[in-house]
Amino acid sequence: MAAKVTPLYERHRSLGARFIEFAGWLMPVQYTGIVDEHLAVRSRAGLFDLGHMGQVVVRGSDAQAFLQWLTPNDVAALRPGRAQYSMLLYPHGGVVDDIMIYRRPDREEYLVVVNAANTEKDVAWLLEHRAERVEWRVEIEDVSASTGMLALQGPRSEAILQRLTPADLSAVQSFDAIVSTVAGVPTLIARTGYTGEDGFELYFPIDHVGDLWDRLLEAGESDGIVPVGLGARDTLRLEACLPLYGNELSAEITPLEAGLGWVVKFDKGPFIGREALERQRQEGPPRRLVGFELVERGGIPRTGYEVRQEGERVGYVTSGTNSPTFGKPIGLALVDRRAAGIGRELSVVIRGRDVRAVQVRTPFYRRPKSSTSHS
């Protein structure tokens, strides 16, 4: 089956993008280069096409109760105009997907944003569990095909976006979402992102995506904005230790093993996967996600590479790269609990050779205090 493309495909081509197939989509992996794009987001601003992501609306008088049962975070804590990172879980505690939930400020419904590779699976999961609760008044609508999604990320993102919207962006806190217009287009503006930088994710009618893409690049030209592909998206999120589904999270990896226990609110009442995670919490997760950096030359740690301690296999690399910000190889690894510990040595098997590494504090990157006034 031919890969899908977003409405911005021709614009990406005209900007010189190189493409890869990702989750059934043909997406730009880079324009001028991964390192250039990465450093632009860290220092100025970058614009991302997220047209491959999935969006689902959950509405009805029992929408909150439904999402509260389906996810481990506390949906009841979401006031209108707030966003929450959460997950869909299997009964055994593994992860169906990690998601963002927005409680809309303008109407009583929730927008659930899901990963591109999981959209069909997630919608089926929601519908399957909706069918189990016939008494609940809940409506689920997959709006992916009609919803445009762009991300503007970096320390100059507020200044750039402010030129195109009447909303006072300085009043929008981290994980807030407001309804306004951007270049005249009705838009849900959320101060969320996946880079470790300040920035915004924009949701709007998909027919306007080309115009908004053009207007944002134009508005940010004097600030050095660049279009950014999936390559730098991955290095940015890895430096910030933001998980990627299929790497740090999966049906076999629980949120507790992934170091995301803060997402799981055991005291909120029943939710799918609660009993399994409660057992794991009491016993202690058998594996832990750790951050490491290589301390000798030997290549770049890549997903799936074996990790050893004192010659014995203790786990594997979930994500690794040569960090553009720090200029050295870094990674995340899922290792046996007994092998984990900041300062403890590991080795990563790269091209048949054990390359020394040391476990370090995560995240690798935190944005400077001067640009965190909204967090």
Side-chain angles (χ1 to χ4, degrees), residues 230-290:
L230 292 181
R233 183 170 161 83
D234 193 53
T235 56
L236 288 158
R237 70 92 195 164
L238 176 52
E239 287 184 350
C241 290
L242 301 170
L244 176 63
Y245 187 85
N247 293 46
E248 286 72 43
L249 294 168
S250 72
E252 288 75 45
I253 304 171
T254 72
L256 302 188
E257 290 177 310
L260 295 167
W262 60 270
V263 174
V264 183
K265 303 298 193 289
F266 288 103
D267 57 357
K268 74 164 187 169
F271 59 87
I272 295 170
R274 186 180 191 278
E275 292 77 11
L277 293 182
E278 186 65 75
R279 281 194 304 274
Q280 193 173 86
R281 178 170 70 156
Q282 289 169 2
E283 296 165 3
R287 303 177 294 181
R288 279 184 52 194
L289 191 70
V290 300

Side-chain angles (χ1 to χ4, degrees), residues 9-335:
Y9 175 72
E10 291 299 337
R11 281 174 169 82
H12 298 318
R13 280 188 56 187
S14 69
L15 288 164
R18 281 179 45 202
F19 293 87
I20 58 166
E21 193 167 329
F22 176 78
W25 293 80
L26 200 59
M27 296 295 295
V29 65
Q30 64 180 63
Y31 300 86
T32 56
I34 291 171
V35 173
D36 284 352
E37 293 162 31
H38 178 112
L39 296 176
V41 174
R42 288 275 179 259
S43 61
R44 305 187 307 274
L47 185 62
F48 301 74
D49 176 10
L50 301 184
H52 59 311
M53 301 284 280
Q55 298 89 19
V56 183
V57 170
V58 180
R59 63 171 76 89
S61 55
D62 293 313
Q64 183 187 101
F66 177 67
L67 289 171
Q68 194 75 317
W69 173 53
L70 224 62
T71 66
N73 210 333
D74 186 6
V75 181
L78 273 181
R79 66 176 189 270
R82 288 291 287 167
Q84 180 182 83
Y85 176 70
S86 194
M87 298 171 193
L88 302 172
L89 298 178
Y90 291 106
H92 70 267
V95 181
V96 180
D97 199 8
D98 62 332
I99 61 177
M100 285 286 289
I101 301 175
Y102 298 90
R103 185 173 175 184
R104 287 197 63 115
D106 54 335
R107 50 184 182 265
E108 196 46 64
E109 64 182 38
Y110 297 86
L111 178 67
V112 180
V113 181
V114 304
N115 284 300
N118 296 332
T119 303
E120 288 182 21
K121 176 182 75 172
D122 291 359
V123 172
W125 184 260
L126 292 169
L127 291 172
E128 175 189 330
H129 290 286
R130 168 70 188 88
E132 292 173 10
R133 298 292 179 105
V134 290
E135 73 280 11
W136 282 3
R137 304 179 83 164
V138 179
E139 183 186 337
I140 295 159
E141 183 184 4
D142 180 359
V143 296
S144 307
S146 59
T147 304
M149 183 176 175
L150 297 173
L152 176 65
Q153 299 280 296
R156 299 296 298 156
S157 55
E158 182 187 301
I160 293 166
L161 188 58
Q162 191 64 78
R163 293 169 194 144
L164 297 175
T165 180
D168 177 9
L169 297 178
S170 68
V172 180
Q173 302 295 303
S174 182
F175 278 72
D176 274 357
I178 63 166
V179 170
S180 185
T181 59
V182 176
V185 177
T187 303
L188 181 71
I189 302 172
R191 201 161 204 146
T192 52
Y194 191 55
T195 62
E197 295 300 333
D198 187 21
F200 300 87
E201 290 175 312
L202 309 175
Y203 303 89
F204 47 85
I206 200 164
D207 298 350
H208 297 282
V209 67
D211 290 340
L212 284 190
W213 174 268
D214 295 344
R215 293 293 300 279
L216 285 161
L217 287 179
E218 186 184 300
E221 192 173 359
S222 61
D223 286 293
I225 193 173
V226 300
V228 186
L230 292 181
R233 183 170 161 83
D234 193 53
T235 56
L236 288 158
R237 70 92 195 164
L238 176 52
E239 287 184 350
C241 290
L242 301 170
L244 176 63
Y245 187 85
N247 293 46
E248 286 72 43
L249 294 168
S250 72
E252 288 75 45
I253 304 171
T254 72
L256 302 188
E257 290 177 310
L260 295 167
W262 60 270
V263 174
V264 183
K265 303 298 193 289
F266 288 103
D267 57 357
K268 74 164 187 169
F271 59 87
I272 295 170
R274 186 180 191 278
E275 292 77 11
L277 293 182
E278 186 65 75
R279 281 194 304 274
Q280 193 173 86
R281 178 170 70 156
Q282 289 169 2
E283 296 165 3
R287 303 177 294 181
R288 279 184 52 194
L289 191 70
V290 300
F292 67 87
E293 59 184 49
L294 297 190
V295 291
E296 67 173 330
R297 292 171 68 97
I300 297 173
R302 299 293 188 195
T303 302
Y305 283 10
E306 183 177 334
V307 173
R308 297 174 180 168
Q309 193 173 64
E310 296 173 354
E312 180 190 352
R313 180 189 168 95
V314 293
Y316 65 95
V317 175
T318 59
S319 296
T321 193
N322 193 59
S323 162
T325 301
F326 303 111
K328 58 188 173 185
I330 61 170
L332 296 171
L334 192 66
V335 301

